Structures are given as structure tokens and as C-alpha cells.
Amino acid sequence: MSSSFLTPKALGSLIESSVLVRPLRHGRATHALIIKTFTISLPSFLSNHLVNMYSKLDHQNSAQLVLSLTVDRSVVTWTALIAGSVQNGHFIPALECFINMRRESIRPNDFTFPCAFKASSGIRAPLVGKQLHGLAVKVGLISDVFVGCSASDMYCKTEIRKDANKLFDEMPIRNLATWNAYISNSVLDGYTHDAISKFLEFRRVGGSPDSITFCAFLNACADSSDILLGRQLHGFLIRSGSNNDVSVGNGLIDFYGKCREVEFSEIVFSGIYKPNNVSYGSLISAYVQNYEEEKACETFLKARKEGFEPTDFMVSSVLSACASLAGLELGRSMHGLAVKSCVEGNVYVGSALVDIYGKCGSVEDSERAFFELPERNLLTWNAMIGGYSHQGNAEMALAVFEEMSEGENGVLPNHVTFVCVLSACSRAGYVKEGKKIFDMMPERYQIEPGVEHYACVVDLLGKAGMVEDAYEFIKSMSIRPNVSVWGALLGACRVHGKPLLGKLVAENLFQLDPLDSGNHVVLSNTFAAAGRWDEATYVRKEMKNVGIKKGPGCSWIQMKNSMHVFQAKDTSHERNSEIQIMLSKLRRDMKSAGFIPDTNFALYDLEEEEKESEVWYHSEKLALAFGLISTSPGIPIRINKNLRVCGDCHSAIKFISGIVGREIIVRDNSRFHRFKDNLCSCNDYCTSRETENLTKMAAAGVYLHHIARETPDVERLTKFYQEIFGFERIETPDFGPMKVVWFKISPVSSLHLIEKNPEAKLPESPWSTTGGVTDPKYLPRGHHLCFAVSNYDTVLQTLKDKGIETFEKTQPDGKTKQVFFFDPDGNGLEFGDWEAPKL
């Protein structure tokens, strides 16, 4: 078409269409046509169109150039440039343009001020906003409904609520947008009751709400947990017919989901004539918030079948559902779909990816998703710290926390951040660091610790063996301890054999939640582990008498598209015979390697052989055996358990990982355990009583001197320890007919392998005989711990003061003194006055 046929008005329309269709080349072609048509100077309205086009399409340099070449610059020209800059997030350049406009003595109009107010709120500059407010008053535009509304919005977004309220009250005219802005900002700022009162005031003055008003009000009701008021609005919507609006329906779905009334969310969704992608996203989110993750995934699949493209909100919600289900493979499928839909770069989707990989034990994938994100917000950092926390990797969790809060990122932590960091310290035994983080909350970040933070510290102290300190910490709390706080201490009493304190803690728990079966079971297990079978049985009978039923412990493993669930001593699986064969083979191999079952985790009063059988058929071992027969060699095995993995299963799986050469990942209700090459990612923290007691005793100047292990085949076990662990064999004294091998296991301690032979006797050693000897003075020569203490006489006197029977001996050198005794579980302990090392 010849340019002579295009009028200036037609050219202006072409520029407007270029803004709508977005490709810049159309606009540039029109610009070239305008230059060709108007060789001398452009009409001012065409210049305004060009400035608007370039600024809206985020080509600020071109917009500035056109503006500089415009002779007759008006408020419309400047406003077009300012509006485009604000729309594209260039808030500081927008304010600079406003200043330059004022330098040309051009008076801003009712379109300029709203853009300038939005720019000042975008950079959180209330002082600039107040200056703009003063100028609007000076030029007489503050009474304009749009200017007044934008000024009030600016004060809300810069957290100056007092001025926002005052300005709102002084406005002579308030339109629907003004009311909506005020109510929405009140909800976003956490002033839900203010939002509700303003909505009621709006109705009293005869205002007619729209979908935005209704949704803001529903958010206020949800945030204040006012289910009754939200239902009243739902009734009003039905009477007025407004419930047919899809946006209002979406708001209702979200409201009921947040109020834990997900069945009403389903009813509202089913009543929407044509649900859109927001409808599906709201329902998926409602399911996730109410722990119905499987329904969330099913709803997403339904949305895909209906032809809806996945949005960033949908994908992030489904990823959260996958994380709760520990569905790693499903999460990976969603990751692929996110990449295909080009939403993986969204900060919320990216944060959800970091979260799911962390919660599924694949911390390497979590790190990759974290570092690939173009931007990170608080959710992203919390998810990464949480991923390390689940692994018990306190060192990395603390490093990321430091990078987040002290680096150039400038992201301030919130209460969730501290829960993740404290949990990581608890799972790794970082007592000193955990206490420091807890003290840092109010002092440095002005965050008052909540009950969940106190629970983390109690867990931290309890797992480190400082059970009495944890109890004193609870007594000093400034807020009332809840179930999680007392529950953490009860678990510590179970692990560290504190039945009396455990009983006291349980009484507090029973007052708070008398029907929780878990607390009764932990107390019963505490008594059982201490050998107090009558009390353990009494607790179980009490549970039965009051009708409290314990949920069964179970483990499950996903194989292809099926989930296989196992309970202890379960024989119902269709491949049970193969599972039993695999278990028998593992048991033989482990026994040959020197594995001894820990029968302390058999919680019934049985003979020793029966106890070994009891712990061998725990659900996680059955799931592992099934995984071994169902997968190819070398493939990692992933097991989930609804309870905490017991110490015997932990030790057994660690042994099995070395025997079968597999990586085995176990997710229990506390954390992840990654077993590989006879090692676990938790470093055996809080799974072995010996390890826990060593941590506690080291703080008191007590150090491990040696561990004794008895075996019928010393040479075979010697080869095992050398090949698997790389222990250094050291010179061993001559014990005559008794074959003994010593290994150096640390700079200050050793491992003694002693031949199991009832006929062979260690000379002059009451702890060296086995077989028919029944005198309790004679300790078993195998499976005992020996410690070096720097304050031998004090320790000996303490044992005597507590009424513990001791057996003292002096070495042939006439100097080294030793004392032998039994701990409450009947394990042999030996203390000597060797010089304790300075570590």
C-alpha cells in the first residue's frame, strides 16, 4: 500500500496495533513509513505514539531518542515514557523522567501521578512517595479518584499504614478500584480484620463489589481462619447469583482449601460451568494444603486431558504434592513437563524443584536446580537448606544459611529458615552451632522463637545425650511447650535409656493429647529397652483399655508403577518365598562378616534367639529384600518408612550396602539415610547408643580406648576389616592360646578381635572367660567397650556412690588401674586410668 493513502490517524492506529501484537519489527516498519511520509517534522501525536510503543515494548533507549527529537514535548509525551518504564519494572528511570519533565515546567496530570506513585512503591521509597503526594496536593489533583487511590496504594506498599488510612478516609470520592486496592493491600499486609471491616463499610455505603472484592474478602477470611464469615459470604453470593462468576468460584475453592474444608472446594469446583486453568490450579493447591497429594496429581492429569496447558502455579503445586509423596520419578516427569512448558525458570517452580529433590533424598539434583535458577527468593533458599537438613548435612546447611543472610544476596531469613537450620544441627549433633543460631534469632534478626524452634533445640540436646539439659531447657521456656516439644524429649528418653524421666514427660504428653497412640508406644518402648517389661506391658494394656489403637509401622518401595507395602513379619506378598530366601542369604553373609544383631530393639520379653528373629523381620528389611530381587545389580534402592528406622535395621542395612554393592536410600519419618559401602550419610548419629554415649562422655573427659569383638574365625574377620574399612593392623601382645588381633581405628583407640574359644582362657583376667561361667564378676571377653578417663578416682567413687557393683584390677605394671561394671542394659564397660588424649 502506498504511504500517500495513509493518513496520520491511520499511521497512529498502526503503531497502536504494533503494541498489541508485540513484535517490534512491525513498529519499526511503521516508524520508517512515518519518517518517509513526514520528511520535515513529525506531528506531536505521532511522536507520542512512537514513545509509547518503544517504552511499552521495553526499548527505553529508542523511546528516549524519539522524545529528545520531539520539539513539542507535552505531558502526554512524558507520561507515555514514564508509564512504559513502570510497566517494564524500570522504576528509577521512570522517576528520573518525571524529574526531567518537571525541569521543563510541565505539569503532571491525573495519568502521570499514578505511574510515579507506582514507581516509588516499586523501589520501596516512601520519602519519594510523600514528595509526590505533596506535589499532587499543590497542583490540586489529590482529590482525583485515580490519583488518590494510587497514593493510598503507595503508602500501603511502603508499609506506612497510618498515612494510607488517613488518605483513604479523606478522599471525597471513592470508586470500586479504590475500595479494592485498600482491601487487597490490607490482606497482603496481614491486616485481615481491617480488610473485613472495610468490606462491611463498603457494603453499608451501598457499594457493589466485583469479583476482585469478593476474592480479597475471602482471602481475609481464610487468613483469619474465619470459616463462618466466609460461609456467610458464600450464601450472599448464591443469593445474588455472583457465584456463577468463574473468578469468584476460584476464590471459594481457595478459601475452603485454606480453611481445611476441601470437600466444599470439590463441591464449588463441580458447580463451575466452565472451569479454567486457575480453577484447576486452585483445586490442586487445596488438595496439597490438606495432605491429599494423590488427588492433587489426579486433578492435574484431568486438567491435562481437558486440554489445559500447565501453568507455573499448577506445576509448582503438583511438585509439592510429589515431594510429600516422596515420588521422585513422578517429580522428574513433572520437571520434564516444566521444561517443555518453559516454566522451569519461574522462581516458584524452581523452588519447588529444589524442594522435591531435597525431600526425595536426591540432594545432587536439588543443588543443580538451585544453581540453575536465574533468580532465587526466600522459598528457594529455605528449600535448599531444608534439603541439606533432611540429609543431616549441617555443614552445608549452615554454609547456605550464611551465604543467604550475609552474602550479596541480601535475603533475610524467616521462621521457616531457622526451623530448617536448627533441624540440620539436631540431625548432625552440632550442639554448639545450634544454640548459637537459636540465640541469634531475636538478637540479630528480631524473630521471636516459636514453639517449633524450641522443639528443635530440645531435639538437638536430646539427640546429643543431654537429656537432663533438654528438660531444664523446657522448664525455662517463655511459652507453653506443646506436643512436639515434649515428644522430642520423650524420644530422647527412649534412645538414651531414661525411663523415669520418660514417664514424667509422657504424663505431660498425655494431658495435651491423651489419644495419641505414638506417645504411649514410645513410653512402652522406653520401658522395654530398659528391661522394665512389667511397666512396658502395663502401658500397652492401658492403651487397649481406653481404646487407643496403634497404627502399624510399615515400609514401602515403588517398583515400576506399583507400590509395595510391608509390615513387620509380613508374609502376604506374592513373592514372599523369594523374599525369605534373600533374607536368609543376607543373614548368612552378614553373620560371616561379623554382624551381631542389636536385640535391644526387640520390644517384647523374649529369649535372645527369639529377639534376633524379631528384629530380623522388621518391615524395612523385608522391603530391602524385595528391592534386591526386583532390580538389576547396581541400581539404587529407595525405601520409605512411616516410623523412625530402628538401630538394628540401620546397622544391618549399612552392612548389606557393602555386601551387595548398592546404594540404599531410606526415608523415615525423621530424615534420610543414604547407605553406601558400609557407611551411612548420618554418620551413625542417633542410631547407635554407643556413638551417642561417646559424644556425651567426650565432653566429660572420657575417651574410647578400645572396642572388643569376639569371633570364631579371627583371620576371616581380620581380612574383612582390612579390605572393607582399611583398618591398620598393629602389634598385638602374646596372649598364649588365645588368638587376638589389634587394629588401630583412630589416633587414640583400637579394635580387639578375640577368638571365640571357651577352652582358651586369658590369664589373670576375670573378664576373659566365657562358656559355663555364671559368676557376674566375670565379664564376657567379647563385645565390650573400654574407655580411658583422666579422672579415674572420681569416676570410681561416683560409681560406688550410685550403688553400681564394680570389679577393680591393677595391671602387672603396678600402675595402670582398671574397673569393670555393667551398664543398665547388661553391656560390659571397662574404665582405665590411661592418660586421656588431648583432642
Side-chain angles (χ1 to χ4, degrees):
M1 181 183 291
S2 174
S3 61
S4 60
F5 292 102
L6 294 176
T7 64
K9 185 176 180 181
L11 290 169
S13 298
L14 276 175
I15 298 173
E16 287 182 357
S17 65
S18 299
V19 176
L20 295 174
V21 298
R22 303 302 291 174
L24 183 63
R25 62 179 183 274
H26 297 162
R28 289 196 183 278
T30 307
H31 190 180
L33 188 59
I34 290 172
I35 293 173
K36 185 178 178 182
T37 304
F38 301 96
T39 55
I40 302 174
S41 62
L42 302 183
S44 59
F45 83 92
L46 284 178
S47 296
N48 297 343
H49 275 300
L50 287 168
V51 171
N52 179 64
M53 176 194 73
Y54 282 122
S55 63
K56 292 283 176 63
L57 296 179
D58 202 14
H59 283 263
Q60 302 305 313
N61 291 335
S62 299
Q64 292 269 13
L65 183 59
V66 173
L67 182 134
S68 66
L69 295 174
T70 303
V71 179
D72 271 342
R73 290 190 286 268
S74 66
V75 67
V76 177
T77 317
W78 284 102
T79 301
L81 181 58
I82 294 169
S85 299
V86 171
Q87 179 179 303
N88 288 288
H90 306 301
F91 301 122
I92 293 177
L95 291 172
E96 290 173 347
C97 290
F98 185 88
I99 294 169
N100 291 332
M101 180 189 76
R102 292 296 294 146
R103 285 176 180 156
E104 295 186 4
S105 300
I106 296 176
R107 176 177 167 174
N109 63 13
D110 54 344
F111 290 98
T112 319
F113 274 114
C115 297
F117 279 125
K118 186 173 182 180
S120 63
S121 64
I123 60 172
R124 297 292 188 270
L127 182 59
V128 176
K130 285 186 175 183
Q131 292 175 331
L132 290 168
H133 184 185
L135 182 60
V137 172
K138 185 177 180 180
V139 299
L141 284 176
I142 195 61
S143 58
D144 179 87
V145 65
F146 295 105
V147 175
C149 177
S150 58
S152 176
D153 183 67
M154 179 273 298
Y155 281 123
C156 286
K157 285 185 166 60
T158 54
E159 300 179 359
I160 308 179
R161 295 287 307 177
K162 184 178 178 181
D163 289 345
N165 295 345
K166 184 178 179 181
L167 182 59
F168 181 84
D169 293 336
E170 291 176 353
M171 289 176 64
I173 302 173
R174 304 172 195 148
N175 62 5
L176 179 60
T178 309
W179 288 95
N180 284 347
Y182 187 92
I183 295 170
S184 299
N185 280 317
S186 297
V187 175
L188 291 172
D189 293 340
Y191 296 94
T192 55
H193 295 292
D194 189 25
I196 291 170
S197 65
K198 275 294 184 285
F199 176 85
L200 299 176
E201 182 184 341
F202 179 47
R203 289 293 297 145
R204 280 194 294 268
V205 298
S208 298
D210 64 358
S211 60
I212 296 174
T213 326
F214 289 132
C215 290
F217 182 79
L218 286 168
N219 281 332
C221 294
D223 291 346
S224 60
S225 301
D226 197 335
I227 182 70
L228 182 60
L229 192 60
R231 283 175 175 169
Q232 289 176 351
L233 179 68
H234 192 180
F236 170 79
L237 293 170
I238 293 173
R239 290 196 304 272
S240 63
S242 302
N243 63 313
N244 295 322
D245 185 301
V246 66
S247 298
V248 174
N250 296 340
L252 285 167
I253 293 171
D254 180 65
F255 161 72
Y256 283 119
K258 289 177 178 175
C259 291
R260 302 290 186 262
E261 299 276 359
V262 70
E263 61 275 10
F264 287 104
S265 294
E266 295 172 333
I267 293 171
V268 172
F269 179 84
S270 63
I272 298 177
Y273 178 62
K274 285 187 177 180
N276 55 18
N277 57 1
V278 179
S279 309
Y280 278 101
S282 299
L283 185 59
I284 291 168
S285 178
Y287 282 133
V288 173
Q289 290 166 356
N290 288 272
Y291 311 107
E292 298 194 21
E293 291 83 5
E294 291 185 9
K295 285 188 176 181
C297 296
E298 290 170 0
T299 303
F300 177 76
L301 293 175
K302 181 180 177 182
R304 295 288 291 142
K305 289 178 182 177
E306 293 291 330
F308 290 103
E309 290 298 320
T311 63
D312 50 1
F313 181 73
M314 269 192 203
V315 172
S316 60
S317 296
V318 176
L319 284 170
S320 297
C322 296
S324 299
L325 292 169
L328 179 61
E329 296 307 318
L330 185 58
R332 282 181 171 152
S333 299
M334 287 302 303
H335 189 176
L337 186 60
V339 173
K340 186 178 179 181
S341 303
C342 300
V343 297
E344 81 282 5
N346 177 276
V347 67
Y348 296 102
V349 174
S351 300
L353 286 169
V354 175
D355 183 56
I356 181 179
Y357 286 128
K359 288 181 177 175
C360 290
S362 184
V363 73
E364 296 84 5
D365 290 327
S366 185
E367 290 172 332
R368 191 176 300 112
F370 179 80
F371 290 116
E372 287 178 355
L373 268 177
E375 64 171 317
R376 301 167 193 149
N377 62 6
L378 181 59
L379 291 175
T380 319
W381 290 98
N382 285 351
M384 191 69 255
I385 295 172
Y388 287 126
S389 175
H390 287 300
Q391 297 281 336
N393 192 340
E395 185 177 353
M396 284 303 300
L398 289 168
V400 174
F401 173 74
E402 184 176 351
E403 181 185 352
M404 164 195 173
S405 56
E406 297 182 1
E408 59 185 17
N409 306 285
V411 179
L412 289 175
N414 65 357
H415 69 284
V416 177
T417 315
F418 285 104
V419 170
C420 294
V421 176
L422 289 170
S423 297
C425 293
S426 171
R427 288 164 179 157
Y430 280 36
V431 178
K432 182 179 178 181
E433 292 83 354
K435 286 182 175 181
K436 181 180 177 182
I437 292 291
F438 182 80
D439 294 336
M440 190 188 296
M441 290 177 62
E443 295 173 3
R444 183 170 178 178
Y445 296 101
Q446 288 73 53
I447 297 176
E448 286 301 319
V451 69
E452 63 274 18
H453 303 106
Y454 282 102
C456 288
V457 175
V458 172
D459 193 47
L460 171 72
L461 297 172
K463 284 181 177 175
M466 304 164 68
V467 183
E468 288 78 11
D469 292 339
Y471 182 55
E472 292 300 321
F473 179 78
I474 292 177
K475 291 197 291 185
S476 67
M477 284 175 57
S478 58
I479 57 179
R480 185 182 179 187
N482 68 354
V483 172
S484 60
V485 175
W486 289 113
L489 183 56
L490 182 60
C493 292
R494 156 70 181 92
V495 172
H496 295 284
K498 302 285 185 181
L500 295 180
L501 181 57
K503 186 176 182 180
L504 177 63
V505 172
E507 289 173 357
N508 286 279
L509 277 169
F510 296 159
Q511 290 178 6
L512 293 171
D513 191 357
L515 299 180
D516 184 3
S517 63
N519 299 326
H520 291 79
V521 171
V522 174
L523 178 61
S524 172
N525 293 350
T526 303
F527 286 134
R532 300 169 68 157
W533 300 107
D534 292 341
E535 290 164 288
T537 305
Y538 176 78
V539 174
R540 299 265 179 174
K541 285 182 177 178
E542 281 293 301
M543 287 177 61
K544 187 175 181 181
N545 292 338
V546 297
I548 300 174
K549 293 184 178 180
K550 171 187 174 293
C554 62
S555 300
W556 60 96
I557 181 172
Q558 184 176 353
M559 204 59 60
K560 296 182 179 179
N561 292 323
S562 299
M563 198 70 70
H564 300 263
V565 183
F566 297 88
Q567 295 182 16
K569 297 187 284 188
D570 193 348
T571 59
S572 61
H573 196 275
E574 59 184 10
R575 299 183 67 181
N576 178 62
S577 58
E578 297 173 76
I579 292 171
Q580 297 303 321
I581 292 171
M582 175 56 71
L583 282 174
S584 299
K585 180 180 182 302
L586 290 174
R587 195 172 185 177
R588 288 194 303 270
D589 293 344
M590 291 166 67
K591 190 173 183 179
S592 299
F595 177 77
I596 305 296
D598 189 345
T599 55
N600 283 317
F601 294 94
L603 300 175
Y604 296 94
D605 192 7
L606 305 170
E607 296 298 325
E608 190 66 24
E609 186 176 338
E610 292 175 301
K611 286 184 178 181
E612 289 189 18
S613 178
E614 179 77 18
V615 297
W616 184 247
Y617 292 102
H618 282 183
S619 63
E620 51 265 60
K621 292 190 181 87
L622 296 173
L624 174 56
F626 173 72
L628 289 170
I629 65 173
S630 303
T631 56
S632 302
I635 300 296
I637 296 174
R638 297 178 180 273
I639 300 169
N640 293 278
K641 184 175 173 66
N642 67 339
L643 303 176
R644 184 172 296 184
V645 64
C646 82
D648 178 73
C649 289
H650 185 277
S651 301
I653 297 173
K654 193 168 61 171
F655 253 72
I656 292 170
S657 69
I659 291 172
V660 300
R662 299 267 199 118
E663 182 180 16
I664 304 167
I665 300 99
V666 178
R667 176 186 176 177
D668 64 15
N669 68 349
S670 175
R671 60 174 297 163
F672 273 97
H673 299 272
R674 298 182 70 175
F675 301 93
K676 189 175 182 180
D677 298 331
N678 298 97
L679 299 173
C680 178
S681 60
C682 75
N683 296 319
D684 297 344
Y685 186 69
C686 283
T687 57
S688 166
R689 281 195 183 181
E690 293 175 3
T691 304
E692 295 166 350
N693 289 335
L694 291 180
T695 304
K696 183 178 179 182
M697 296 172 77
V702 180
Y703 301 89
L704 177 66
H705 187 265
H706 72 259
I707 302 172
R709 289 285 183 253
E710 199 169 43
T711 172
D713 190 340
V714 171
E715 289 302 327
R716 176 187 55 78
L717 203 56
T718 298
K719 184 179 179 182
F720 171 81
Y721 280 114
Q722 286 178 319
E723 292 180 353
I724 299 298
F725 299 110
F727 288 165
E728 177 188 354
R729 186 168 178 173
I730 58 178
E731 185 178 351
T732 306
D734 183 15
F735 287 95
M738 178 69 68
K739 192 167 187 178
V740 182
V741 174
W742 283 8
F743 287 102
K744 182 179 180 181
I745 60 176
S746 83
V748 296
S749 54
S750 59
L751 167 67
H752 299 179
L753 299 183
I754 305 172
E755 183 180 27
K756 187 174 184 178
N757 181 357
E759 301 303 321
K761 309 287 184 181
L762 283 172
E764 300 179 4
S765 299
W767 61 96
S768 65
T769 56
T770 59
V773 178
T774 58
D775 191 333
K777 292 183 180 180
Y778 297 100
L779 300 180
R781 63 193 172 196
H783 300 96
H784 71 270
L785 295 174
C786 179
F787 299 96
V789 293
S790 56
N791 51 346
Y792 176 83
D793 293 331
T794 303
V795 171
L796 179 60
Q797 189 59 46
T798 302
L799 293 172
K800 291 180 177 180
D801 291 343
K802 291 184 176 293
I804 297 174
E805 187 177 10
T806 58
F807 314 101
E808 299 171 59
K809 177 179 174 16
T810 302
Q811 285 288 332
D813 59 12
K815 297 179 180 179
T816 306
K817 294 179 290 185
Q818 294 164 271
V819 60
F820 308 91
F821 62 97
F822 291 104
D823 72 7
D825 289 337
N827 299 312
L829 292 175
E830 176 182 351
F831 278 13
D833 67 348
W834 297 280
E835 182 180 357
K838 294 180 172 60
L839 300 180

